[in-house]
Amino acid sequence: NTQHTTLSMPVRKLFEFLAEQGLIQRCSLKELEHTRLGVEGGWWVRRMSPEEPKYPAMSGEPMTMLAPLKHELQSFAQHNIKPLVVFDGFFTKDRRDDSRAGKLNMAWELHYKGRGAEADALFKQTDRFISQQFIPNVMKYLNESGVDNLRAPYTSWAQLGHFSSTGLVNAVLGDLELLIFGVSRVVVNIDFEKDMVEWVDYNAILHRFALTPDQFLDTCLLAGFTLCTTYPGLLQDSVFSFKRAIDMVREHRSGHAAILYQQSLQQRRSYMDTFLRARALVKHHIIMLPNGVCEPLHKETCPSDIHNVISNRLPNELYFLISQGVISPQVVISLISGTIQDQAPFVDSVEYRQLILELTELRAKTIGLISTAMNQMFKTKIVSASKWFDNFSSETSLSHWSTLPRSILQRGARVTQKMISTELEKQKQAAVSLPLVMLMQGIVSSTPSTSELSSSAGADYPMIATPDELLFNIYYQALVMKEYLLTDNTVTVIGKVLEGVKPRFQEECMLVLELTKLAHITGNRMTTFGTPPSMAVEALPKGVILLTRVLSVLGMKFVPGAKWTGPVDWDIQAFHELTQGVHRSLRNLFEMALAGLVLRRRTALEPHEYGLVGSRLPFFQLPNTAMALVLKAFLVEGLTPAQLQKRFPECADIAGDLHNAYELWAEVMRMMTFLKDYDSIQPELLAVIENANSLMAAKRSLLGK
C-alpha cells in the first residue's frame, strides 16, 4: 500500500526546555573519535534529506538521496567514528498528513501557470521522501559501504537504548525520544565543518530535577510525543510548559498518581488507558539480543498481556529476516495491525482507485504466504483494507487464509543446484531469472532421483540448501500465484510470453504484462481528480501516450547528485502511480514467498546467505518518470540526443538510455505479437501498439548508429 508519511512528533517542548536549562552541551568532535556511535536510522536520513522539490511530481528513487549519506559516512571515517545504524522494524513512528493532497493540487496548478519557484516550494512541503519506503535503499547502500546496520524488531529507540545500557555503543546520534529509553548520551547534532557536537546527558537531567528514570518517563508521556498524547491537565489556557509536567510528577511522585488526582472520572479513564499502554510499550518494548533472540525489556516484570500493547509474538524467523533487511516490514505490519490504509497518491485518478480494488486478491495471497505458516491466531486474523477516497470509513476484508493453492506451499519446486547449474550453462545465463524458471518447468515437473535431492525429511520435500535453489523456489511460487504457471506446472499463455523474455528485461516485461492484464496499458489520457484548471491538455497521438506508459518502467542514468530541473507532467505522473502500485505489490509477493519458505522450515542456508537472496529479488526499486518525459520530447519534438541533453542536463547518457528503450520496446512488441496470435489482446489496443511501433521506427534515425 502507498506509504507517503510525515515526521514523527517529538516530546513536546523538551528540546526548548533543555536548551533553556543549559543541558544541551557542546564539545569538539575529538570527543567522539575512536567511539562506537549508535545512529537512529530513520531520524538520521530524514535529517540529511536534500532538497529535491520536483520529487513528488516524478516519484521513483529520489535522485539526490545517496549523496548526503555518502558525505556523512566519509566524515565519520575521517574522524574515526564507527557508526551502528538502527532502523525501525515492525513499527512506524510516522503519521498521516491529511493536508498533503491539497498542497499537491496547488503545486501542480502553480506549475502549469508557469510559477515554477512557488510550485517547487509547495512540492517540497508535500513529502519528506526519506520515509519507510526508502529505508531498504539506504540499508543496501550501507551494506555496500561496509557500515553496520540493522532493523530493530520494533522501534529503533528501544534497540538503541539496549545497546547503550549494555555498552555496545558509547553514544547515540538521534532524537531526544532516545532519553525515554534510557540512552545515557544522546547526540542531537554533529557539525563536521564547525568541529562541534551537541549532546545531552541523561543522568544530568535526572540529577538536575531530582527525578528517577521512571519519573522522567512519566514526565515525557504526560508532555506528549509520538506514542502518547499530551495530558489535558497541562494545557491550561492553551499554554504548555515542560517544567510544569516535571513539577506535576514530582508533586505526585508518578504520572499515574498525577492523573488520578487531576482528572474527573470520565477524563481519567480515557487518558489513563492511553498513558498506561504507552508506558508499558516503553518499559517492555521488544528488543533483539546479540544472539538473535528477541525478548521484552525488563522481562522479569513484564505483564503477561504485553501482546495487547505491541503485538502477539512473531516467529523468530521473521525477526531475523527483518533485522537483516531481507524483507520489508510493510506486509507483516498489515498482518499485525489487521489494517491496510491506502493513502492518496501524488496524482489521484479513477484508474488508480480501480487498481487498488484490483490488487485486493494479490494482497490477500501475499499475506497468506506468511500467515498460513504461523500459529492459528495469525492464520485466522482478520485483515481489512480501507481507502483515502472514502475517508477510511469502509473496509474490505482480505481472506488471506483461504486464497492459496496448498500444493505450492507444501511442495514447492523439486529442483537441485545441479539441475539449475546445468540449465544456466545451457541457456548461457549467469543467474536464476524468471524466464529460466519458466524454461525449466519440463525438468522440474519430473521428480529427480533420490541421489539428486538435497537432504530432507522425505523425498517429496527436499530441503532448499543453496541461494540458487531458494531463489528458484521463490520465483516458482510467485509465478504460480500470478498464474504464469498452473499448480501442475503447465505453462499458461501469459507464461509462454514471459518465457522468451531477455533476462535483463525480466522486471520491466513482467510489469508491462501485469499492467496489460489489468487493462491499464492504453493510449488514453488518465481520468484524474483535481486536474489543474490552467493545464493545457495536449492533443498527443495515442501511440505517443502508450509509449510513455510502457517505457516509463525503464530507468535512466543520472549525473551523481543532480536534481531534476526539466519539465514534469501531470498525466505521466498519474500513470506512474499505477505502475508503482503494481511494482510494490509484486515486490511484496516475492519477499513474502521467501519469508514463507523460511517459516515452513524448508530452507537450510547459512544466515548470511539469506541477505544475498534478498538482494537478488526483483522489483527492488521502480525508476522515476524521467524516461517518459525524455521520450515524450524525443517523439513529439523530434529532438536529437544532443538536443535532449541540453533540455535534460541531469541525464548522464541519453543516447545510451534511448537505445535501451528501443531494445525494451522490441521485447514488448514480441510479447504483444505473441498475445495477438493467441487472441489475448483487444483489437483496439493492438491498433495503438502498431501505431506506436511505427512512431518508434520513424524516429530511429535520430539516434544515429
Side-chain angles (χ1 to χ4, degrees):
N1 56 323
T2 305
Q3 292 185 9
H4 299 306
T5 49
T6 58
L7 302 187
S8 58
M9 185 178 77
V11 178
R12 192 166 192 166
K13 297 292 184 181
L14 176 58
F15 186 88
E16 295 87 342
F17 177 74
L18 294 179
E20 290 171 4
Q21 297 294 318
L23 287 169
I24 297 180
Q25 305 180 51
R26 291 185 175 183
C27 65
S28 166
L29 272 163
K30 289 184 178 180
E31 298 297 323
L32 286 180
E33 288 184 358
H34 304 289
T35 62
R36 179 71 153 166
L37 181 67
V39 179
E40 183 192 343
W43 175 90
W44 179 57
V45 294
R46 284 189 294 242
R47 168 178 158 269
M48 290 185 294
S49 295
E51 292 188 0
E52 194 173 323
K54 285 190 169 69
Y55 166 71
M58 296 186 69
S59 299
E61 179 179 318
M63 293 166 56
T64 57
M65 184 174 71
L66 298 180
L69 295 178
K70 181 179 180 180
H71 181 265
E72 187 100 342
L73 293 178
Q74 289 172 342
S75 298
F76 283 145
Q78 288 169 4
H79 291 84
N80 295 306
I81 300 170
K82 189 173 183 180
L84 170 57
V85 188
V86 182
F87 298 95
D88 289 333
F90 300 125
F91 188 91
T92 176
K93 307 181 188 108
D94 294 325
R95 297 173 291 120
R96 194 169 77 243
D97 181 4
D98 294 325
S99 68
R100 191 171 62 87
K103 291 176 182 176
L104 276 169
N105 288 340
M106 179 60 71
W108 280 108
E109 173 68 21
L110 292 169
H111 168 76
Y112 280 106
K113 283 182 176 179
R115 293 158 64 178
E118 295 173 74
D120 287 354
L122 263 181
F123 275 133
K124 190 171 69 173
Q125 291 178 31
T126 60
D127 194 68
R128 295 291 286 176
F129 52 71
I130 305 293
S131 60
Q132 281 287 339
Q133 61 180 318
F134 292 119
I135 294 304
N137 305 59
V138 177
M139 293 183 73
K140 179 182 177 184
Y141 180 74
L142 293 176
N143 288 331
E144 292 169 352
S145 303
V147 176
D148 293 336
N149 67 95
L150 75 152
R151 278 192 188 267
Y154 293 92
T155 72
S156 55
W157 294 331
Q159 190 65 50
L160 286 163
H162 172 68
F163 286 160
S164 174
S165 66
T166 57
L168 188 61
V169 296
N170 304 104
V172 177
L173 174 64
D175 218 341
L176 290 176
E177 282 86 348
L178 290 159
L179 294 169
I180 298 172
F181 289 85
V183 173
S184 59
R185 286 179 289 277
V186 177
V187 177
V188 295
N189 183 42
I190 298 179
D191 191 322
F192 290 102
E193 292 184 3
K194 295 181 180 179
D195 185 30
M196 182 191 71
V197 176
E198 292 183 303
W199 64 287
V200 177
D201 187 318
Y202 173 65
N203 290 314
I205 298 173
L206 300 184
H207 178 74
R208 173 74 65 88
F209 301 105
L211 295 171
T212 66
D214 279 352
Q215 287 176 328
F216 178 74
L217 165 59
D218 288 359
T219 300
C220 292
L221 291 173
L222 294 177
F225 71 113
T226 303
L227 303 180
C228 189
T229 56
T230 301
Y231 175 52
L234 292 172
L235 296 174
Q236 293 181 354
D237 303 321
S238 299
V239 177
F240 174 83
S241 165
F242 191 84
K243 177 61 165 60
R244 189 158 182 271
I246 291 177
D247 292 342
M248 185 178 290
V249 171
R250 289 178 61 186
E251 178 184 355
H252 298 284
R253 304 206 175 176
S254 73
H256 181 269
I259 297 167
L260 288 174
Y261 179 79
Q262 293 285 324
Q263 288 288 325
S264 68
L265 179 62
Q266 184 176 359
Q267 291 175 317
R268 186 164 68 226
R269 284 176 176 169
S270 174
Y271 188 80
M272 184 67 83
D273 181 65
T274 300
F275 174 84
L276 292 177
R277 290 174 68 87
R279 198 174 196 281
L281 184 61
V282 172
K283 289 283 289 182
H284 305 293
H285 209 83
I286 306 298
I287 52 97
M288 180 175 283
L289 301 177
N291 61 4
V293 173
C294 293
E295 64 178 36
L297 293 167
H298 308 103
K299 184 171 65 172
E300 63 284 352
T301 59
C302 182
S304 60
D305 60 350
I306 192 64
H307 59 274
N308 291 327
V309 177
I310 302 177
S311 84
N312 286 79
R313 182 173 179 83
L314 298 171
N316 287 329
E317 292 87 349
L318 282 182
Y319 290 125
F320 168 75
L321 293 174
I322 190 73
S323 72
Q324 301 303 300
V326 179
I327 63 172
S328 300
Q330 180 184 356
V331 176
V332 181
I333 288 175
S334 297
L335 179 59
I336 292 171
S337 64
T339 61
I340 299 175
Q341 287 195 339
D342 288 298
Q343 310 299 328
F346 284 134
V347 177
D348 193 4
S349 66
V350 171
E351 293 85 351
Y352 186 81
R353 296 185 181 192
Q354 180 62 33
L355 176 73
I356 293 300
L357 299 175
E358 292 165 343
L359 291 175
T360 300
E361 183 181 353
L362 176 58
R363 287 173 162 184
K365 288 180 177 180
T366 300
I367 294 173
L369 281 169
I370 57 170
S371 68
T372 53
M374 297 165 70
N375 64 34
Q376 193 63 26
M377 193 281 297
F378 284 112
K379 283 179 181 176
T380 58
K381 188 176 178 71
I382 295 174
V383 179
S384 301
S386 58
K387 301 155 191 67
W388 78 95
F389 53 81
D390 58 12
N391 258 347
F392 306 101
S393 57
S394 61
E395 296 184 336
T396 303
S397 180
L398 279 67
S399 302
H400 55 91
W401 57 87
S402 61
T403 56
L404 300 175
R406 297 292 172 190
S407 57
I408 70 163
L409 297 178
Q410 299 301 328
R411 174 173 56 80
R414 296 190 185 96
V415 68
T416 65
Q417 183 63 49
K418 180 181 177 181
M419 295 162 64
I420 294 171
S421 299
T422 300
E423 193 66 21
L424 284 171
E425 185 176 351
K426 176 182 174 183
Q427 300 296 333
K428 295 182 172 56
Q429 294 185 25
V432 175
S433 64
L434 292 166
L436 184 84
V437 175
M438 302 299 304
L439 288 166
M440 287 185 67
Q441 287 318 299
I443 304 170
V444 173
S445 60
S446 60
T447 306
S449 64
T450 306
S451 61
E452 287 183 297
L453 293 173
S454 306
S455 59
S456 66
D460 287 336
Y461 300 92
M463 289 295 287
I464 298 167
T466 70
D468 278 349
E469 290 179 11
L470 178 53
L471 198 61
F472 191 101
N473 272 273
I474 293 165
Y475 282 9
Y476 173 78
Q477 289 202 354
L479 289 168
V480 172
M481 303 281 262
K482 291 303 300 169
E483 298 179 349
Y484 289 81
L485 291 169
L486 301 181
T487 53
D488 63 358
N489 289 334
T490 301
V491 181
T492 63
V493 171
I494 201 77
K496 290 180 183 296
V497 176
L498 190 64
E499 195 174 69
V501 166
K502 291 179 181 178
R504 64 177 289 221
F505 289 127
Q506 65 171 4
E507 294 181 36
E508 292 86 354
C509 287
M510 187 173 181
L511 197 50
V512 170
L513 281 172
E514 288 299 308
L515 288 163
T516 303
K517 285 163 59 179
L518 295 168
H520 290 303
I521 294 293
T522 72
N524 303 321
R525 297 187 68 88
M526 300 287 288
T527 311
T528 56
F529 295 96
T531 305
S534 60
M535 187 178 107
V537 178
E538 301 171 273
L540 293 176
K542 288 193 172 186
V544 171
I545 294 175
L546 182 137
L547 286 167
T548 61
R549 303 280 194 258
V550 170
L551 297 178
S552 67
V553 303
L554 195 60
M556 297 190 74
K557 302 179 190 72
F558 300 109
V559 175
K563 302 175 186 177
W564 187 261
T565 58
V568 291
D569 187 284
W570 170 273
D571 187 70
I572 286 175
Q573 178 58 33
F575 179 78
H576 203 63
E577 298 290 350
L578 304 182
T579 311
Q580 282 192 107
V582 174
H583 187 278
R584 189 175 298 115
S585 295
L586 289 173
R587 177 66 186 191
N588 288 340
L589 174 65
F590 281 87
E591 287 187 354
M592 293 307 106
L594 185 160
L597 288 165
V598 174
L599 287 170
R600 288 178 175 80
R601 310 290 173 88
R602 288 288 321 285
T603 61
L605 277 64
E606 293 297 322
H608 73 277
E609 290 180 317
Y610 291 100
L612 297 176
V613 173
S615 68
R616 293 169 62 186
L617 293 181
F619 304 106
F620 179 74
Q621 178 62 60
L622 180 69
N624 61 22
T625 59
M627 176 56 79
L629 296 165
V630 170
L631 192 69
K632 179 182 171 185
F634 175 72
L635 295 171
V636 175
E637 300 178 52
L639 301 181
T640 65
Q643 292 169 321
L644 289 168
Q645 200 69 60
K646 291 181 181 179
R647 174 81 62 87
F648 303 97
E650 47 281 304
C651 296
D653 183 18
I654 285 181
D657 290 335
L658 285 174
H659 278 291
N660 283 339
Y662 270 90
E663 283 192 58
L664 175 58
W665 178 249
E667 289 291 300
V668 172
M669 281 302 299
R670 185 197 61 76
M671 294 193 304
M672 297 304 171
T673 302
F674 190 99
L675 291 174
K676 172 191 171 185
D677 293 342
Y678 278 83
D679 295 324
S680 298
I681 191 167
Q682 294 296 322
E684 181 183 348
L685 175 58
L686 187 62
V688 179
I689 290 170
E690 289 172 348
N691 173 253
N693 196 45
S694 298
L695 283 170
M696 289 290 279
K699 299 295 182 181
R700 186 71 175 81
S701 60
L702 292 173
L703 290 183
K705 294 183 179 179

